[in-house]
Amino acid sequence: MKIIVCIKQVPDTQKVKVDDKTGVLIRDGIDTKMNPFDLYALETAMKIKEQINAEITVITMGPPSAKEVIKEAYALGADSGYLLTDRKFAGADVLATSFTLAQGITAIGGYDLIICGKQTTDGDTAQVGPAIAEHLAIPHVSWVVKIKDVCDKSITFMEDMLDDIAIAKMNYPCLITVDKDVFQPRLPSYRLKQQAETKTINILTLEDLAQKDSEHYGLSGSPTQVEKIFEPTSEHEVERFEQDDKNNAKLLYQKLKELKYVKELS
Amino acid sequence: MSGIVIDHNKCIKCLACIKACPFNALSLENDKIEVNAACRLCKVCIGVCPTQAISLQDVIKKVIDKNLYQGILVYVEHTDGNIHPVTYELIGKALELAKKIDQQVYCLFIGENIKEKANVLLEYGVAKVLVYDHLDLRYFRVDNYANVFESAIKKLMPNTVLVGATTTGRSLAPRVAVRFKTGLTADTTILQMRENTDLVQIRPAFGGNIMAQILTTKTRPQFATVRYKVMDAPQKVTNVTGSIEIGVVNESMLKSKIELLEVKRKEATFEISEAEVIVVAGNGVKDEKGLKLVSELAELLDGVVGMTRPMIEKGTGSYLQQIGLSGRSVKPKLIITCGVSGAIQFVAGMDKSDTIIAINSDPNAPIFKTAHYAVVSDLYEVLPLLIKQIKGEIINEL
């Protein structure tokens, strides 16, 4: 079977600041790494491959330097990797990103199962995976917490459904997003890491995709616009309750009510 | 055509733009200024043009008529008809946003045997609850639900759609938003409505280190998933004026490709880092009585009990409850520390919590530097009083 794992290169730190004057994001250093949640997606693919004959392809969208994240995936055991990179892909939101990835996945050729991490650590949306499935008109299930069974026709798994846990089955082609409980990710192998350096990284640009109209990609294809970014006001002032115990208890009760942790008794 | 556009009627061919362009993306072709593929939309040319002949054309060609989209639609999150509290919070926010633009609030309720429950929503001032009730809609299956959602949107044509940023909400909303090729902002924490009906969506990114303000100005409806326990639930209204409308469920909507084999209620497994509310017992909790107070408060707040390392070493609790560098890191919405001094090893495991309340009788306890609310009191005195107030056993008058 053919498994596609969607991965993303993210900054190695969440320590970011906003330049007051320009409103531009300043990242502390330029170290990048694979989105930690993608490690679980890749591990799921590897575990499936241990059970049945499977070929694992990773795909990512990003700048040319995002090749590094594909090398990381190679060091973990991915068989082939594709980088979607084009200036026209820049500035993409959930809709345009998922569209581009769906186009890329189609361009690679056939697939049975697509696996995504539950979310990224830079965007935190958790919404690109389901959106890819919609573009591809295939079913998806998010927040898969356990793989129960896998064969060459279908996958059976446990999913988190708010208050319930469900066991469900989907035939291929389909997409799942996996939560971090699904498997413990392995460490990169030294041997694979060595090989990764020389392994081919396939590049896809707009020219390689079926939909060639640039209006669908990047900023043009994004219905949402970031109007501004700012640092949250760190209003860390300590409010002190220093009355007698009785009044402190009252003040605390009022505060919990205000914060909606206790209900108004009527 | 999106991008830089030149109005040839306004252009006086002064060539200022060609000189200013850093990418050589402009040139004079057949006596007209033209833009070539080298353009990076830096907009330098727009600024230098003396006759305002250059503009950045809207990137999405079809600018829709926003007036065709009216009202704010709230998706009702529920399990077996038991409405999830995020729904009421969304209704509260939706009412506030709708008021600003003089529009109404609708609810979309998808499930089985839920008609009765829909009436409850009307009590909060919702103008209409659109109910899709069918045996095959009993359980959340994202493909079926997306089909029904799509049908509801086509029927109501709402300006805005709000969905709880829950596991199910964040699976469903993207599928539906993609169908309408419209914008979806994830996990928003602040929402405001502009008079032109554009929804200002603010959300944290990079683990909460920055906030992004996002708009969906050219398409409708505007989708946002909204974080739980951020918005305020509304008060019930005195006279209910809204109505229930039954939506038509077609067989074509129910061809789910997800086969549910078993659905069971989640077991309450203990994972302290998952808890939204944690009450922590520290060294100041000296006996069973103190521990009981901490447990009781935790229970009343739907929370769990956490402990500092010394408490675990004394054998007071399970290591699963231990917070700090050598235990679990937690980031609950609310943490109340009782008799915790605030050693750095402990603080490092909890200082990202949304709201930190510290109770300690020592006015100089280090924990008060980390806390948002510092309660200088003996926990043995203040906790019993607090518990009684929460239980309604004493009426709170200041």
Side-chain angles (χ1 to χ4, degrees):
Chain A
M1 70 182 285
K2 284 187 172 176
I3 304 173
I4 290 180
V5 180
C6 299
I7 58 175
K8 187 184 182 188
Q9 191 177 48
V10 298
D12 198 9
T13 170
Q14 292 195 326
K15 284 187 190 122
V16 288
K17 281 187 163 305
V18 181
D19 186 318
D20 286 341
K21 290 199 181 74
T22 59
V24 172
L25 208 61
I26 310 164
R27 289 176 180 182
D28 229 11
I30 45 157
D31 280 357
T32 57
K33 62 175 179 184
M34 189 188 297
N35 170 41
F37 296 114
D38 298 344
L39 296 171
Y40 300 93
L42 194 51
E43 186 61 36
T44 306
M46 297 295 294
K47 284 284 192 305
I48 291 170
K49 192 182 172 175
E50 284 167 12
Q51 275 191 33
I52 58 173
N53 185 24
E55 188 193 316
I56 301 168
T57 302
V58 293
I59 185 166
T60 190
M61 179 175 96
S65 57
K67 277 181 183 166
E68 291 306 313
V69 76
I70 292 181
K71 283 187 194 164
E72 275 185 68
Y74 284 163
L76 290 162
D79 297 306
S80 59
Y82 286 79
L83 168 62
L84 279 155
T85 188
D86 198 303
R87 201 164 48 77
K88 297 194 177 71
F89 299 159
D93 69 355
V94 169
L95 183 69
T97 303
S98 57
F99 180 76
T100 311
L101 284 165
Q103 285 283 316
I105 289 166
T106 308
I108 294 170
Y111 60 88
D112 297 296
L113 176 65
I114 302 170
I115 310 176
C116 300
K118 68 165 181 165
Q119 64 193 64
T120 60
T121 51
D122 57 349
D124 299 312
T125 75
Q127 293 176 172
V128 170
I132 292 170
E134 180 64 31
H135 285 297
L136 293 170
I138 59 170
H140 90 274
V141 166
S142 291
W143 318 100
V144 166
V145 291
K146 196 173 186 176
I147 306 294
K148 301 283 278 186
D149 189 31
V150 62
C151 67
D152 58 0
K153 294 266 186 303
S154 68
I155 182 162
T156 307
F157 49 84
M158 271 168 89
E159 67 166 305
D160 184 325
M161 286 205 310
L162 204 65
D163 298 323
D164 292 332
I165 288 280
I167 297 173
K169 182 176 156 186
M170 278 192 292
N171 288 330
Y172 308 133
C174 64
L175 180 149
I176 58 172
T177 81
V178 294
D179 210 336
K180 63 179 172 23
D181 296 326
V182 68
F183 290 112
Q184 190 56 37
R186 68 194 60 201
L187 293 168
S189 124
Y190 179 75
R191 186 180 52 86
L192 291 173
K193 214 168 178 172
Q194 296 298 104
Q195 291 172 2
E197 287 306 316
T198 51
K199 206 163 166 170
T200 312
I201 293 169
N202 305 285
I203 305 290
L204 295 172
T205 65
L206 181 57
E207 285 306 300
D208 302 305
L209 305 182
Q211 173 56 266
K212 290 184 173 30
D213 184 349
S214 63
E215 302 277 299
H216 292 86
Y217 301 92
L219 201 58
S220 311
S222 297
T224 66
Q225 301 98 46
V226 177
E227 196 177 49
K228 63 172 181 183
I229 52 174
F230 53 95
E231 282 180 56
T233 46
S234 53
E235 39 176 351
H236 192 100
E237 283 168 27
V238 184
E239 193 179 322
R240 292 179 78 97
F241 302 162
E242 293 186 287
Q243 303 187 27
D244 60 31
D245 293 331
K246 204 172 160 196
N247 278 319
N248 275 356
K250 283 179 183 174
L251 288 166
L252 187 49
Y253 174 70
Q254 291 293 353
K255 187 50 71 182
L256 289 174
K257 215 159 71 172
E258 193 185 310
L259 295 168
K260 298 189 296 249
Y261 287 100
V262 292
K263 284 192 184 68
E264 189 93 43
L265 292 158
S266 48
Chain B
M1 171 67 201
S2 78
I4 298 295
V5 173
I6 294 158
D7 182 341
H8 297 295
N9 295 322
K10 283 190 189 169
C11 175
I12 53 167
K13 283 170 263 178
C14 67
L15 311 187
C17 54
I18 295 181
K19 287 186 197 118
C21 177
F23 304 107
N24 293 323
L26 294 161
S27 55
L28 194 65
E29 308 280 340
N30 302 324
D31 209 31
K32 277 181 181 173
I33 307 273
E34 299 289 357
V35 186
N36 65 46
C39 176
R40 295 196 188 177
L41 300 179
C42 73
K43 297 184 264 186
V44 165
C45 54
I46 298 176
V48 300
C49 178
T51 60
Q52 286 87 46
I54 309 177
S55 59
L56 182 66
Q57 197 77 356
D58 282 339
V59 281
I60 287 182
K61 279 182 287 184
K62 272 197 299 180
V63 177
I64 48 91
D65 180 358
K66 292 178 186 174
N67 290 324
L68 293 175
Y69 297 81
Q70 296 276 332
I72 297 176
L73 178 63
V74 170
Y75 172 73
V76 179
E77 190 80 71
H78 71 101
T79 301
D80 274 347
N82 297 314
I83 298 169
H84 189 281
V86 72
T87 309
Y88 298 109
E89 296 178 7
L90 295 183
I91 292 172
K93 182 44 89 174
L95 288 165
E96 184 194 314
L97 298 170
K99 201 175 166 191
K100 184 91 189 267
I101 49 173
D102 201 18
Q103 296 188 5
Q104 291 184 315
V105 174
Y106 312 121
C107 283
L108 169 61
F109 201 172
I110 308 172
E112 186 227 354
N113 200 13
I114 50 169
K115 284 171 194 156
E116 286 301 310
K117 302 251 169 59
N119 285 311
V120 178
L121 297 163
L122 294 176
E123 293 172 17
Y124 290 91
V126 172
K128 190 189 285 179
V129 181
L130 188 51
V131 175
Y132 290 83
D133 196 318
H134 193 283
L135 182 64
D136 285 350
L137 295 172
R138 176 167 178 200
Y139 294 112
F140 174 80
R141 270 182 294 176
V142 64
D143 43 4
N144 284 355
Y145 271 48
N147 293 338
V148 173
F149 211 141
E150 180 189 353
S151 169
I153 287 176
K154 284 180 175 160
K155 191 182 172 82
L156 292 170
M157 298 277 278
N159 161 59
T160 295
V161 178
L162 302 182
V163 180
T166 59
T167 49
T168 42
R170 288 214 265 178
S171 176
L172 178 62
R175 282 209 89 117
V176 184
V178 167
R179 274 185 207 185
F180 290 91
K181 299 281 179 281
T182 188
L184 162 65
T185 306
D187 204 21
T188 53
T189 54
I190 303 171
L191 293 171
Q192 290 150 3
M193 187 61 82
R194 289 195 176 150
E195 275 164 22
N196 68 357
T197 75
D198 283 349
L199 183 68
V200 179
Q201 304 154 98
I202 300 175
R203 65 179 303 260
F206 287 98
N209 281 301
I210 61 159
M211 304 294 283
Q213 179 165 322
I214 298 165
L215 284 139
T216 304
T217 56
K218 298 182 192 76
T219 57
R220 291 289 186 267
Q222 315 169 81
F223 277 74
T225 58
V226 184
R227 192 175 287 190
Y228 176 38
K229 277 204 172 158
V230 169
M231 307 299 178
D232 296 312
Q235 299 288 329
K236 286 189 179 179
V237 294
T238 39
N239 61 327
V240 170
T241 51
S243 59
I244 306 272
E245 191 178 321
I246 304 297
V248 181
V249 181
N250 296 321
E251 288 303 316
S252 64
M253 297 175 184
L254 304 174
K255 292 179 176 158
S256 180
K257 288 179 177 164
I258 305 160
E259 187 187 346
L260 283 182
L261 305 173
E262 189 186 334
V263 179
K264 57 184 177 193
R265 201 51 39 95
K266 267 185 203 169
E267 276 174 44
T269 51
F270 189 82
E271 175 48 64
I272 197 157
S273 60
E274 299 284 322
E276 294 199 337
V277 176
I278 302 174
V279 184
V280 186
N283 247 343
V285 177
K286 302 215 176 295
D287 49 21
E288 272 300 313
K289 190 181 151 211
L291 212 52
K292 216 180 140 199
L293 290 170
V294 168
S295 310
E296 194 171 3
L297 179 61
E299 201 173 307
L300 285 168
L301 299 174
D302 282 333
V304 300
V305 175
M307 302 223 178
T308 58
R309 182 168 169 179
M311 296 296 278
I312 302 303
E313 286 175 348
K314 275 193 281 184
T316 315
S318 143
Y319 72 96
L320 290 171
Q321 291 173 282
Q322 187 186 327
I323 295 169
L325 284 181
S326 52
R328 305 284 166 128
S329 280
V330 297
K331 190 179 171 290
K333 295 208 162 74
L334 173 68
I335 189 163
I336 304 179
T337 67
C338 306
V340 175
S341 60
I344 183 75
Q345 292 85 347
F346 171 78
V347 168
M350 51 69 78
D351 61 351
K352 302 284 188 302
S353 308
D354 291 357
T355 302
I356 302 168
I357 298 176
I359 303 172
N360 199 306
S361 53
D362 175 5
N364 300 316
I367 190 74
F368 289 156
K369 289 199 190 81
T370 309
H372 303 106
Y373 303 101
V375 183
V376 187
S377 266
D378 184 344
L379 70 99
Y380 284 93
E381 299 296 332
V382 81
L383 286 186
L385 290 165
L386 178 65
I387 287 165
K388 278 186 182 155
Q389 284 177 86
I390 296 173
K391 284 176 162 175
E393 289 170 12
I394 44 176
I395 302 300
N396 185 25
E397 280 167 27
L398 271 180

